[in-house]
Amino acid sequence: MPTLDPTVTVNVDDTLTGNTTGLSNINLLQPTSFKLIIDRKNFPNLEFFCQSVAHPAMDIPAADVPYSRIGNIAMVGDKLTFTELECIIIVDENMNAYTEMYNWMQRLVQTKPKSRLDRSLTDIAPPTYADITLAILSSHNNVTRTIRYIDCVPTGLGNMMMEATTGDTTQITFPATFRFSYFELK
C-alpha cells in the first residue's frame, strides 16, 4: 500500500521539499484482492461466495441558480447521493447464498422493520438492516483498507441464468443490489 513519506512537507505555496513523490512502496490494487463481510451470523454464505463488488458512485447534484440575461449558474449542491452497491454472488449447489438473499427480501415485505440495535428476546428474526464491510487486501492478503456501508438493505435479487448449452465451465451467479445510508472509508 502506498504510504505517506513523513519527510515530505508541503509549504503554503504548494512546493514540495524532500522526497518529491510523497509516496513509497507503490503496489497496485489487484482485482481479486477483496473480501465482503455481511453480518456473518445471519448471512454466512453471502460472504464466502461473493465474486465481485461494484463500489457505488457518489455525486453532489449541482443547484442551478437563475441569473438575469445569462441563464442558470451551477452552484455546488448541498447533499451527497449514492448509487446502489452491486454484488455478484456465486451460487453453490445447495443454493444457500441465494436462499439467504431471498429470505432476507421476503422478511422485508412481511414484517415491520427491526433496528440493528433492537436486542429484544421476543423476536429472534435477523435485523432488517445490516452493515456491509468491503475489506481491501494487500498482495499478502492483509487488510489495508475497509469500506463500511452503513444500514444496508437489499433492493434487488437479479436473474440466475442456467443454461445446458454453455461450452465453458463458468459458475452460475446472481446479482444482488443494496441501498445504504452512507459509507465510511478507513
Side-chain angles (χ1 to χ4, degrees), residues 119-125:
R119 305 273 190 236
S120 64
L121 299 175
T122 58
D123 187 10
I124 59 171

Side-chain angles (χ1 to χ4, degrees), residues 58-99:
M58 180 173 72
D59 295 318
I60 302 175
D64 288 336
V65 177
Y67 191 75
S68 69
R69 292 185 279 165
I70 294 179
N72 293 338
I73 298 175
M75 301 296 284
V76 176
D78 60 349
K79 66 178 178 178
L80 292 172
T81 58
F82 303 99
T83 58
E84 292 182 332
L85 173 65
E86 298 176 9
C87 304
I88 304 295
I89 311 294
I90 299 172
V91 181
D92 58 295
E93 67 180 5
N94 293 328
M95 295 181 61
N96 291 329
Y98 187 86
T99 304

Side-chain angles (χ1 to χ4, degrees), residues 148-160:
R148 185 170 168 224
Y149 305 96
I150 309 298
D151 293 336
C152 295
V153 62
T155 57
L157 181 60
N159 295 334
M160 183 171 48

Side-chain angles (χ1 to χ4, degrees), residues 6-56:
T7 63
V8 175
T9 58
V10 179
N11 298 326
V12 176
D13 61 355
D14 292 336
T15 59
L16 294 174
T17 60
N19 180 353
T20 58
T21 63
L23 297 173
S24 62
N25 188 24
I26 299 175
N27 291 320
L28 301 177
L29 179 63
Q30 299 301 312
T32 58
S33 297
F34 70 93
K35 180 179 180 181
L36 192 73
I37 304 160
I38 306 174
D39 189 3
R40 183 78 175 146
K41 177 182 170 193
N42 296 309
F43 310 106
N45 294 296
L46 294 176
E47 174 183 337
F48 182 72
F49 292 109
C50 184
Q51 180 179 9
S52 68
V53 177
H55 178 68

